[in-house]
Amino acid sequence: MIKAFSAFLLTTIISFVVMVGALLIWVTIQKTHMTDPSAVDGLGFAVAYGGIAAVPISLAIGIFGGIIGYLRN
């Protein structure tokens, strides 16, 4: 059971870090090309909603990782 829980935590944390990191890299690339203030404002909303969306997606990936970790016992 501990192995399954550690697999859940590990996959959840890794997937969250990867998704947020990719989002921040994308934002850094996009903001160098933007000159319109409204487009930059929209980029801020993309970051906020992307960060919010990363939580349930990473939890779902973590649940599957936990199930796989439990079944591998």
Side-chain angles (χ1 to χ4, degrees), residues 14 16 23 36 44 46 50 66-67 71-72:
I14 288 173
F16 182 76
L23 181 67
D36 184 21
I67 290 171
L71 293 177
R72 288 185 72 188

Side-chain angles (χ1 to χ4, degrees), residues 53-67:
V55 172
I57 293 170
S58 62
L59 282 175
I61 292 171
I63 289 170
F64 286 124
I67 290 171

Side-chain angles (χ1 to χ4, degrees), residues 3 11 13 24 27 32 34 37 39-40 44 51 55 59-60 62-63 72:
K3 193 174 184 181
T11 53
I13 292 169
L24 291 176
V27 166
T32 59
M34 291 187 177
V40 176
V55 172
L59 282 175
I63 289 170
R72 288 185 72 188

Side-chain angles (χ1 to χ4, degrees), residues 5-49:
F5 184 68
S6 64
F8 165 74
L9 279 180
L10 187 66
T11 53
T12 301
I13 292 169
I14 288 173
S15 63
F16 182 76
V17 168
V18 168
M19 282 188 277
V20 170
L23 181 67
L24 291 176
I25 290 170
W26 177 78
V27 166
T28 304
I29 292 169
Q30 291 299 317
K31 81 174 179 182
T32 59
H33 302 294
M34 291 187 177
T35 56
D36 184 21
S38 64
V40 176
D41 189 38
L43 194 61
F45 283 111
V47 170
Y49 290 126

